[in-house]
Amino acid sequence: MTTELLSKSALQNSEPVFGQMSFDDHEQVVFCNDKDTGLKAIIGIHSTVLGPALGGTRMWQYNNEWEALNDVLRLSRGMTFKAAVTGLNLGGGKAVIIGDAKTQKTPELMKRFGEFIHSLGGKYYTAEDVGMETADMDLIREVTPFVTGISESKGGAGNPSPATAYGVFMGLKAACQFNFGTDSLEGKSVLVQGIGHVGEVLVDHLSQAGARIIIDDINIERLEYISRTYGCSVFEGEDVYSADVDIYAPCALGATINDETIDRLKAKVIAGAANNQLANEDKHGKLLLEKGIVYAPDFLINAGGIINVFAELEGYDKAEIKTKTENIFNTTLEILQHAKINNISSHNAALEIARKRIDQRLRSQKL
Ligand code: NAD
């Protein structure tokens, strides 16, 4: 699940945490260990300048602890910029639990993890991510109030994936407006890679908008179910990255835009839910710009989920969540235009806006 693996020499030359390639002045990194439940987790708090660090917990069978650390550092940093660019008063954090969510997750382990979150006194709030369900958040809620994404029946905003998918749909439409001069998806071909919680709802929106959808997943049963339910076709070629489509929507794992894939891409627009889609933000962001591929920054367009969980803290209703998520269309369009005028990558344009907001807050705190 890591997005950029460390080479052997990088491992030898870097210090465990502060010298880690993905370390970006994170405020705090917490290692959680509990022998009785088998819990091994890392909480990464990148920034609390705009508010408490909020970000989901991912449970994944990492190949080694370096991968887990690298993942939590990159993901928590991404959350800081996601909240900032979306205009939310939240900082950036994320947690990873090392282990197989299907076989190693127990209620005791979840609650023990919740106790570690509680010990941070509200500096970090968790939510769902890959390998986690609303039911897990409900268990964590039994031991700490610093958790979002709990069931609607328990007063929460529920599963954030539909809001994430709706935001991605808005960002995708904005990128089409920018590139094709229309946000109509009628007849446009879209490759959706990963048809899980978010991918399925995105497929639903796309099919209602009249797009020609091609799906790809490693889960054959899901492929059969989604193609049957929404009437879309399954990708059958050898190389999914060279699929002849108008739009590529990465909704599985990160780092799919990398040295190996970038020259094979035929899509004119990239807009999807996966976090950290660019293996190297600077390099691959610029290469997409040079190739004339319009890229809707991942951390901007997949913010629907964080809007949904933020609503839980602020007590927003569904209508307000929808309006705020819909606004991703306008923000994406503005950022793509800003990037074009300044001849910078869309990723850097979005980062610039996020950083400006954080710097302003820092300055006002110092006054
Ligand atoms: P999920 O686990 O429900 O779905 C992921 C899907 O991708 C699964 O069906 C899986 O089989 C498939 N997949 C895994 N590896 C693949 C591969 N190599 N090729 C093709 N398919 C593959 O996850 P999700 O909640 O739908 O999230 C999808 C992505 O969006 C993740 O990267 C996640 O971090 C990101 N994201 C999710 C949310 C949210 O609200 N759920 C919010 C922001 C970002």
Side-chain angles (χ1 to χ4, degrees), residues 26-338:
H26 287 66
E27 285 178 20
Q28 197 173 359
V29 182
V30 184
F31 293 83
C32 315
N33 183 54
D34 183 62
K35 213 170 142 205
D36 290 346
T37 57
L39 174 75
K40 283 209 181 324
I42 314 173
I43 300 172
I45 298 176
H46 178 251
S47 167
T48 56
V49 174
L50 294 176
L54 191 147
T57 296
R58 175 171 293 191
M59 187 160 184
W60 192 257
Q61 186 79 69
Y62 292 95
N63 288 318
N64 55 56
E65 291 169 14
W66 280 99
E67 270 191 13
L69 178 59
N70 189 38
D71 213 22
V72 79
L73 290 175
R74 276 183 60 120
L75 289 165
S76 55
R77 172 182 180 270
M79 292 307 292
T80 298
F81 298 126
K82 186 184 303 204
V85 80
T86 312
L88 303 175
N89 286 327
L90 287 173
K94 201 91 181 180
V96 296
I97 298 178
I98 302 169
D100 185 337
K102 288 202 183 86
T103 58
Q104 286 170 265
K105 198 197 286 175
T106 61
E108 293 73 29
L109 181 139
M110 269 306 120
K111 285 194 206 168
R112 187 70 190 98
F113 177 59
E115 285 167 4
F116 278 105
I117 294 172
H118 194 68
S119 72
L120 293 169
K123 202 170 180 185
Y124 169 69
Y125 278 73
T126 200
E128 292 96 336
D129 194 68
V130 176
M132 287 289 156
E133 308 288 338
T134 307
D136 299 317
M137 299 306 118
D138 291 347
L139 280 170
I140 292 175
R141 182 66 186 84
E142 289 181 24
V143 294
T144 181
F146 307 128
V147 52
T148 57
I150 54 175
S151 309
E152 292 184 72
S153 62
K154 293 194 159 63
N159 174 15
S161 302
T164 302
Y166 188 55
V168 170
F169 181 58
M170 288 295 121
L172 185 149
K173 276 168 77 74
C176 287
Q177 172 74 50
F178 183 80
N179 188 67
F180 303 116
T182 169
D183 71 348
S184 165
L185 296 170
E186 194 69 49
K188 291 267 182 318
S189 53
V190 190
L191 171 76
V192 181
Q193 181 186 39
I195 38 162
H197 290 103
V198 180
E200 175 174 357
V201 186
L202 179 63
V203 165
D204 191 10
H205 289 303
L206 291 169
S207 96
Q208 288 182 42
R212 199 157 56 76
I213 308 158
I214 300 124
I215 51 173
D216 173 57
D217 204 291
I218 49 170
N219 183 332
I220 308 294
E221 280 166 26
R222 273 295 301 149
L223 283 172
E224 282 166 3
Y225 165 73
I226 301 286
S227 68
R228 206 174 46 241
T229 310
Y230 301 94
C232 41
S233 49
V234 175
F235 179 75
E236 280 178 350
E238 286 282 296
D239 176 22
V240 73
Y241 297 102
S242 56
D244 197 3
V245 290
D246 298 312
I247 303 152
Y248 164 44
C251 296
L253 308 181
T256 58
I257 301 155
N258 56 46
D259 286 345
E260 263 102 66
T261 59
I262 200 157
D263 284 332
R264 287 152 40 202
L265 295 171
K266 293 205 181 83
K268 303 279 176 300
V269 165
I270 300 176
N275 284 310
N276 300 330
Q277 290 168 27
L278 306 176
N280 180 316
E281 290 176 7
D282 248 357
K283 180 182 175 187
H284 299 119
K286 278 182 197 141
L287 282 173
L288 288 178
L289 176 70
E290 282 166 26
K291 283 172 67 73
I293 297 176
V294 172
Y295 170 66
D298 49 9
F299 67 94
L300 165 66
I301 74 166
N302 70 15
I306 196 178
I307 293 171
N308 196 72
V309 293
F310 184 65
E312 209 168 298
L313 300 178
E314 299 288 311
Y316 295 162
D317 60 13
K318 291 263 179 228
E320 210 161 343
I321 295 172
K322 191 162 184 239
T323 308
K324 281 194 186 306
T325 307
E326 236 150 37
N327 199 39
I328 289 177
F329 181 95
N330 295 328
T331 317
T332 307
L333 209 50
E334 277 163 26
I335 283 172
L336 292 174
Q337 277 153 358
H338 176 75

